[in-house]
Amino acid sequence: MTVSAPHGLPAPLFRLGFRPMFLVAALFAIVAIGAWGGTFAGWWGLTPYGGSYFWHAHEMLFGFVAAVVTGFLLTAVQNWTGVPGVKGKPLALLVLVWVVGRVLMWWGPGWPHWLVASLDLLFLPMVAGFMAYPLIKVSQWRNLFFVPVLALMTLANFLTHLSVISGEAHWFKQGSYLMLMLVTLLMAVIGGRVIPMFTANGTGTTKVLPIAWLDKAALLCIWLLVLNVLFGNLLPANVQGLLCLLAGSLHLCRWWRWRVWLTLAVPLLWSLHIAYLFIPLGLLALAGHYLGDWLPQSTAAHLLTVGGMGGMIMAMMARVSLGHSGRPLQPRPIMSLAFALIFMAALVRTLGSWLLHQQILTVFVLASILWCLGFAIFTFVYWPVLTRPRVDGKPG
């Protein structure tokens, strides 16, 4: 793969962080869920590092999600600070480190576990360094918040690896749920910043102004959930349940104020709104688990991961890729199908596995197929967008 291009510019794929990270994430989303679905169905065997269940959870959080978070943040930090973002060979090196991690986790070589873990753990600290430099350079302390979040994500990844190294499974649960809550927090923060603005701009309506106490309380609840997992689930189950109930209710109120009904004719908007809805749904489902064991914890987790993260990731990748390649914010019509497939996958994986437990194999395979089809459409549509120069001739 060429990193350099004529006239001193990097190859288009390496001109800004979103380009390679979104592309490898979309491809990996297809491969990883396809491999997991086929393994669960018994069509083929998968013997990765840590075992297939560990691999599935780890790679979707620290492989797929981490790649997209990286692409978004390394692109956004250039807009926030005016400092040119990482590009060219440093960006290619970052992508290579991510790829090496994915290969080692899939292949499961007979190397010492600490060595595999160390190589996989390199990625997020590198991202944090690339984020911190421009923010500190222009003293933009407000957005420096993302750097300690990336550090906590690195800690979460370390905890999952610790479960393999030590043989103690509870470290895996703590690390994966810490990452789950951290990404949920990022979605809530970023969603609150961009969804009202995008909705106003895309529908020609007045922007919904935030209610300070509502936003602070909603985010504080998720921060408390993060801290609870970070310190080993100190809160009793009923207290966790009440906290999730409060968090879900506050985020549902927040979501309703953003007027989803205005966006139904604009795919780049309704996809974001529906993805955000999965945050309160997932939190309320967690409340149901903790307060009365009314549904499995994995069902609530997959509302947050497949519906919330998968949906918001695709919606944000679709918008950011168009905007930062100089194209109009008008996706190809088939992208509406791609968005719908991801939300269908979320409902099948969660409600289907809960209500149709006797047909769990069919449910998992169907959800996997829907997910893979959605990201296959995205990859087909956005490959030329991500690998070709901006249409307006500007760098980036």
Side-chain angles (χ1 to χ4, degrees):
M1 185 179 293
T2 303
V3 177
S4 300
H7 312 299
L9 287 174
L13 184 61
F14 295 101
R15 290 182 186 175
L16 205 53
F18 77 94
R19 289 176 172 274
M21 299 315 304
F22 287 2
L23 187 58
V24 296
L27 290 169
F28 188 66
I30 301 167
V31 173
I33 292 298
W36 169 247
T39 299
F40 194 87
W43 297 341
W44 48 70
L46 185 65
T47 55
Y49 169 92
S52 58
Y53 177 75
F54 173 95
W55 177 84
H56 167 64
H58 182 277
E59 290 302 274
M60 294 313 294
L61 288 170
F62 297 101
F64 168 65
V65 173
V68 178
V69 168
T70 295
F72 176 82
L73 291 179
L74 292 184
T75 302
V77 74
Q78 177 173 286
N79 290 347
W80 297 338
T81 64
V83 178
V86 60
K87 60 186 176 182
K89 292 181 180 178
L91 180 55
L93 176 62
L94 183 66
V95 175
L96 178 62
V97 170
W98 181 88
V99 171
V100 167
R102 309 293 61 79
V103 170
L104 291 177
M105 297 297 294
W106 178 297
W107 177 31
W111 300 353
H113 292 324
W114 64 264
L115 179 57
V116 176
S118 298
L119 293 171
D120 180 56
L121 285 165
L122 287 175
F123 178 70
L124 286 171
M126 289 179 65
V127 178
F130 286 133
M131 276 288 296
Y133 171 74
L135 292 171
I136 294 172
K137 184 175 182 179
V138 300
S139 301
Q140 195 175 102
W141 310 119
R142 174 174 180 257
N143 287 320
L144 197 62
F145 143 85
F146 292 102
V147 175
V149 169
L150 289 167
L152 286 174
M153 288 181 173
T154 303
L155 173 61
N157 193 10
F158 170 76
L159 292 175
T160 63
H161 283 288
L162 185 59
S163 72
V164 178
I165 295 170
S166 68
E168 299 289 340
H170 67 91
W171 293 120
F172 165 71
K173 184 174 182 180
Q174 184 175 356
S176 58
Y177 270 86
L178 177 57
M179 183 64 168
L180 176 68
M181 288 296 108
L182 286 168
V183 178
T184 300
L185 175 65
L186 278 186
M187 292 193 297
V189 170
I190 293 170
R193 291 186 183 185
V194 303
I195 293 177
M197 177 181 63
F198 289 170
T199 300
N201 294 343
T203 61
T205 57
T206 303
K207 178 184 174 182
V208 174
L209 297 178
I211 298 175
W213 71 263
L214 175 62
D215 284 5
K216 289 179 181 179
L219 295 177
L220 175 61
C221 285
I222 300 183
W223 265 117
L224 292 174
L225 291 169
V226 168
L227 293 174
N228 178 60
V229 180
L230 177 63
F231 291 105
N233 289 307
L234 298 178
L235 296 176
N238 60 339
V239 176
Q240 291 186 59
L242 290 173
L243 187 55
C244 289
L245 180 62
L246 178 59
S249 301
L250 291 171
H251 282 278
L252 189 61
C253 292
R254 199 183 189 211
W255 173 81
W256 183 257
R257 293 189 67 249
W258 296 337
R259 303 177 299 183
V260 61
W261 54 88
L262 297 178
T263 70
L264 300 181
V266 187
L268 286 181
L269 293 179
W270 63 252
S271 56
L272 271 177
H273 280 259
I274 294 177
Y276 194 93
L277 176 60
F278 276 89
I279 295 177
L281 292 179
L283 292 169
L284 292 173
L286 278 174
H289 168 75
Y290 288 124
L291 291 175
D293 201 19
W294 297 323
L295 74 171
Q297 191 176 29
S298 64
T299 297
H302 281 84
L303 283 169
L304 291 171
T305 54
V306 184
M309 296 177 196
M312 188 168 288
I313 278 171
M314 182 175 285
M316 288 298 291
M317 289 199 305
R319 184 183 186 95
V320 169
S321 299
L322 292 176
H324 284 277
S325 62
R327 291 169 170 82
L329 296 178
Q330 297 173 352
R332 297 261 294 271
I334 197 172
M335 282 304 299
S336 293
L337 174 60
F339 297 141
L341 286 168
I342 299 304
F343 296 130
M344 289 167 60
L347 294 175
V348 169
R349 173 60 183 83
T350 55
L351 294 181
S353 61
W354 181 36
L355 299 174
L356 302 173
H357 191 70
Q358 299 301 319
Q359 289 79 40
I360 193 70
L361 176 59
T362 302
V363 167
F364 277 24
V365 171
L366 177 58
S368 299
I369 291 172
L370 292 169
W371 171 279
C372 291
L373 286 175
F375 276 97
I377 292 172
F378 175 89
T379 304
F380 174 77
V381 171
Y382 279 87
W383 184 287
V385 175
L386 296 169
T387 58
R388 295 176 185 172
R390 288 179 62 111
V391 295
D392 55 11
K394 296 179 181 179

